Amino acid sequence: MTVVPNLFANDGRIHRFEDKGQLSISRFFSQDATTSALICGDTEAVLSRLPDCIFQSCVTSPPYWSLRDYGIPGQIGLEDSVVAYVDHLAKIFSQVRRVLRDDGTLWLNIGDSYTSGGRTWRATDKKNPVRAMNVRPPTPEGLKPKDLIGVPWLLAFALQKEGWYLRADIIWNKPNCQPESVKDRPTRSHEYIFLFSKNEHYRYDAAAMRGPNGRNIRTVWDIHTQPYPEAHFATFPPALIEPCIKLGSCPGQLILDPFIGSGTTGLVALKLNRRFVGIELNPSYLQIAEHRLNGDLIR
């Protein structure tokens, strides 16, 4: 068993802030702070109360649109339209941009989805049972049944319009992708990771991650998916997060994940000697992250 070192000198555990604990959260951002934190609350509301220019980099993966019902009020991903979904995320990432340092970066993993064809539910796929949903947004206006929506690029262009610099589109190729019961298109085996910067000039340590033969790292990353047994939802593989953190920050700096889920971004940040702040709406998911980061469930 690998145990994460104690993060808080006072009680040896990850501290879990509620979004109403503004005073204690503010103390966390003092200049002499050396700890990491999980914050339970609505991401946009929490971010709006954080100071400007405190994070070096943000590495995150928000819930995808029309893909899963997480069963909690206020969740992202079940908006009535893809436009509303993109607008919602654009507002959140506007706050992310504010709290990033002027030389900060955003590494955003986002997946695509298909139109519902007018169905308000999704049947169980025998090869991927977790995809079933009893609620599903309608087909976006202007699209047809079975259309691939293009959500990643809709979001990327929206953030670009908000002032972000879109610097790279990275293909996460999944050699062990989920099978699909489809016979009229290829099985999807990739997702996007977009690299955004807050300003034209930003921190990017090209020497921190090199490709084969010492070459500059390329934009197609072959990384296996890695499920986390205690989490019944999609999780980042640590190998996907590591290059983002190494390229965009240095040891001791503060990393943000506004959709922390099971805590993988925090886990990798700690192993790379960075501090982190993770925000999560769902208390049960945050509890998974809290236990995991304190060494209770790490195997």
Side-chain angles (χ1 to χ4, degrees):
M1 175 180 288
T2 301
V3 179
V4 175
N6 291 344
L7 306 177
F8 284 78
N10 58 347
D11 61 2
R13 296 185 61 82
I14 287 281
H15 189 76
R16 175 172 167 170
F17 294 111
E18 301 298 327
D19 62 353
K20 296 179 181 178
Q22 186 60 32
L23 180 59
S24 56
I25 292 174
S26 298
R27 289 173 179 170
F28 170 80
F29 295 109
S30 64
Q31 290 186 349
D32 59 349
T34 59
T35 52
S36 295
L38 297 169
I39 302 175
C40 185
D42 176 81
T43 293
E44 186 176 3
V46 172
L47 287 172
S48 70
R49 294 195 289 271
L50 298 186
D52 294 350
C53 303
I54 52 175
F55 297 99
Q56 181 59 50
S57 191
C58 174
V59 183
T60 195
S61 180
Y64 301 167
W65 187 68
S66 187
L67 190 66
R68 189 161 300 165
D69 182 0
Y70 292 93
I72 186 167
Q75 66 180 314
I76 293 172
L78 288 183
E79 291 84 354
D80 288 339
S81 72
V82 69
V83 173
Y85 169 78
V86 169
D87 287 347
H88 192 175
L89 285 180
K91 290 178 181 178
I92 290 172
F93 286 111
S94 178
Q95 288 292 336
V96 169
R97 188 167 181 267
R98 180 185 60 79
V99 301
L100 279 183
R101 292 164 54 102
D102 288 342
D103 62 348
T105 51
L106 164 63
W107 303 79
L108 173 61
N109 167 229
I110 191 75
D112 215 338
S113 56
Y114 287 86
T115 61
S116 66
R119 294 186 299 273
T120 57
W121 50 272
R122 180 188 286 130
T124 299
D125 187 327
K126 63 182 180 181
K127 294 184 178 180
N128 187 11
V130 74
R131 74 185 294 273
M133 292 172 58
N134 58 16
V135 59
R136 195 175 181 189
T139 297
E141 184 178 354
L143 297 182
K144 305 172 294 301
K146 303 179 76 170
D147 265 343
L148 181 64
I149 298 172
V151 174
W153 286 103
L154 292 174
L155 180 57
F157 292 146
L159 297 191
Q160 196 176 47
K161 186 177 180 181
E162 289 289 319
W164 288 95
Y165 288 76
L166 178 56
R167 298 294 297 129
D169 61 324
I170 298 160
I171 301 297
W172 170 22
N173 177 49
K174 308 176 189 178
N176 64 333
C177 69
Q178 285 274 8
E180 293 180 317
S181 299
V182 294
K183 297 183 179 181
D184 59 355
R185 62 170 174 82
T187 295
R188 291 183 57 80
S189 61
H190 76 280
E191 292 182 15
Y192 284 96
I193 304 170
F194 291 115
L195 167 59
F196 293 94
S197 65
K198 182 173 180 177
N199 288 301
E200 182 178 0
H201 302 288
Y202 53 95
R203 177 176 179 80
Y204 182 88
D205 185 1
M209 289 291 298
R210 305 298 293 176
N213 301 318
R215 299 179 304 180
N216 191 30
I217 192 170
R218 300 323 201 218
T219 56
V220 177
W221 298 357
D222 295 329
I223 296 174
H224 285 70
T225 62
Q226 186 177 333
Y228 182 63
E230 280 75 18
H232 303 291
F233 51 90
T235 59
F236 263 161
L240 186 68
I241 300 171
E242 183 175 344
C244 304
I245 292 179
K246 283 185 173 181
L247 291 166
S249 67
C250 63
Q253 291 187 314
L254 194 55
I255 306 299
L256 170 68
D257 187 345
F259 303 98
I260 192 72
S262 64
T264 309
T265 297
L267 183 68
V268 177
L270 293 175
K271 289 183 176 180
L272 296 177
N273 297 312
R274 276 74 163 172
R275 299 170 60 216
F276 80 91
V277 171
I279 306 170
E280 176 57 49
L281 176 65
N282 192 322
S284 62
Y285 293 175
L286 201 73
Q287 187 173 33
I288 293 173
E290 186 178 6
H291 290 171
R292 185 184 188 192
L293 288 161
N294 280 303
D296 292 3
L297 301 176
I298 302 171
R299 293 174 172 83

